[in-house]
């Protein structure tokens, strides 16, 4: 089958997609977007989190055909495509030392972007309990999560100040 969807603001078309292929496989192997990671293939780790029509989903659990005609946002889409400037969430993770091996980072970045964006749209920063809940589906084996929590708080502060 042919899959046509918008990925990070650009219409993409992929031919010969097998009906059982995951969106994660298509993004990584057919579209050349390796940012989302393939770790558990069961939707348990969060490493493959992407946006589908603005909502975070585990791309390993989404059949590629479900993305037909829809909007997909990946971790690559957070970076400014024109300047290459990092998104405030990405920069906060670097500045807070929240990046270790990097395997869980793409999913954490998307989850953080979603949480902070929703919170700021409501005129507030996320509380610590909300941060922990929002990131509960993202597993990291390298850190004790404190630097990740620091990065989320830093991203919220910076995005709030910038009016994003």
């Amino acid at each position: 089958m042919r899959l046509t969807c918008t990925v990070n603001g650009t219409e993409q078309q992929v031919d010969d997609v097998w009906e059982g292929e995951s969106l994660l496989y298509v993004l990584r192997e057919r579209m050349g977007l390796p940012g989302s990671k393939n770790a558990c293939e069961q939707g348990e780790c969060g490493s493959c989190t992407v946006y589908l029509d603005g909502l975070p989903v585990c791309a390993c659990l989404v059949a590629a055909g479900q993305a037909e005609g829809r909007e997909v946002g990946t971790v690559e889409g957070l970076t400014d495509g024109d300047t290459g400037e990092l998104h405030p969430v990405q920069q906060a993770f670097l500045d807070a030392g929240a990046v270790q091996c990097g395997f869980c980072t793409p999913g954490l970045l998307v989850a953080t972007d979603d949480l902070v964006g929703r919170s700021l749209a409501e005129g507030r920063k996320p509380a610590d309990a909300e941060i922990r809940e929002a990131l509960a589906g993202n597993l990291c084996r390298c850190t004790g999560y404190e630097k990740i929590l620091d990065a989320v708080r830093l991203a919220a502060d910076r995005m709030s100040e910038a009016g994003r």
Side-chain angles (χ1 to χ4, degrees), residues 100-119:
Q100 296 281 319
C101 80
F103 213 77
C104 66
T105 306
L108 286 165
L109 291 171
V110 172
T112 298
D113 179 59
D114 179 63
L115 170 66
V116 173
R118 281 186 295 107
S119 296

Side-chain angles (χ1 to χ4, degrees), residues 54-73:
L55 298 173
V57 298
C58 291
C60 71
L61 297 180
V62 176
Q66 290 179 281
E68 177 65 32
R70 298 173 78 181
E71 299 221 4
V72 178

Side-chain angles (χ1 to χ4, degrees), residues 43-138:
E44 296 291 329
C45 72
S47 294
C48 66
T49 303
V50 299
Y51 286 114
L52 185 60
D53 289 339
L55 298 173
V57 298
C58 291
C60 71
L61 297 180
V62 176
Q66 290 179 281
E68 177 65 32
R70 298 173 78 181
E71 299 221 4
V72 178
T74 69
V75 68
E76 289 93 344
L78 293 179
T79 303
D80 186 307
D82 295 328
T83 65
E85 184 177 332
L86 295 179
H87 186 279
V89 170
Q90 293 169 308
Q91 191 62 55
F93 268 68
L94 286 174
D95 294 346
V99 177
Q100 296 281 319
C101 80
F103 213 77
C104 66
T105 306
L108 286 165
L109 291 171
V110 172
T112 298
D113 179 59
D114 179 63
L115 170 66
V116 173
R118 281 186 295 107
S119 296
L120 293 179
E122 295 171 3
R124 60 184 185 77
K125 295 178 191 172
D128 281 358
E130 288 177 285
I131 295 170
R132 289 178 188 280
E133 183 176 339
L135 301 184
N138 296 81

